[in-house]
Amino acid sequence: VQLQASGGGLVQAGGSLGLSCAGSGRTFKSYGMGWFRQAPGKEREFVAAISWSGGTTYYSDSVKGRFTISRDNAKNTVYLQMNSLKPEDTAVYYCAVQQRIFGAPSMRPYEYDYWGQGTQVTVSS
């Protein structure tokens, strides 16, 4: 089982980036998926999560209204569209899969079973 995150980079404040996370090795269509981030010297924090069907989404207060999580189960891929980026969004972003069939997606990192390698997002002021 492998999750491959991509799409990170350097962007100016106010700009946009789109992240993708493609799964391989098994299908994740029955599982919730999430995005987390970790800045230097800080703990990993929740960003967004989406249910297996895509019908339910959750966001942290810090990104609500600016970020959008979505998924394409046919492609075994989850996305994170990030708009109106701020310097405080700078972090390594990780995608994750919660292996609980049709379960509600969690905001707790320890409830996720598979993790991608992370992709760096840097927002300059």
Side-chain angles (χ1 to χ4, degrees):
V1 175
Q2 193 171 23
L3 294 172
Q4 183 68 43
S6 61
L10 173 65
V11 65
Q12 287 189 332
S16 299
L17 277 177
L19 305 183
S20 298
C21 176
S24 61
R26 67 177 302 172
T27 177
F28 298 126
K29 65 181 180 181
S30 301
Y31 304 139
M33 300 183 76
W35 287 95
F36 294 78
R37 67 187 182 187
Q38 189 166 16
K42 295 188 176 181
E43 293 187 352
R44 190 167 298 188
E45 66 170 354
F46 170 75
V47 175
I50 188 167
S51 64
W52 63 275
S53 66
T56 302
T57 55
Y58 300 105
Y59 297 93
S60 68
D61 288 342
S62 61
V63 308
K64 198 174 296 183
R66 300 188 297 121
F67 290 11
T68 302
I69 188 171
S70 61
R71 66 188 296 164
D72 185 339
N73 285 340
K75 296 182 179 180
N76 223 23
T77 300
V78 64
Y79 305 95
L80 186 69
Q81 179 62 39
M82 306 183 293
N83 299 327
S84 302
L85 283 161
K86 304 175 181 180
E88 51 264 43
D89 294 318
T90 295
V92 177
Y93 283 70
Y94 299 90
C95 58
V97 173
Q98 182 182 357
Q99 189 175 305
R100 187 179 305 168
I101 295 179
F102 305 139
S106 172
M107 293 182 280
R108 302 178 183 88
Y110 60 82
E111 292 187 351
Y112 285 77
D113 303 283
Y114 302 110
W115 290 84
Q117 85 287 2
T119 184
Q120 176 70 46
V121 171
T122 303
V123 184
S124 63
S125 57

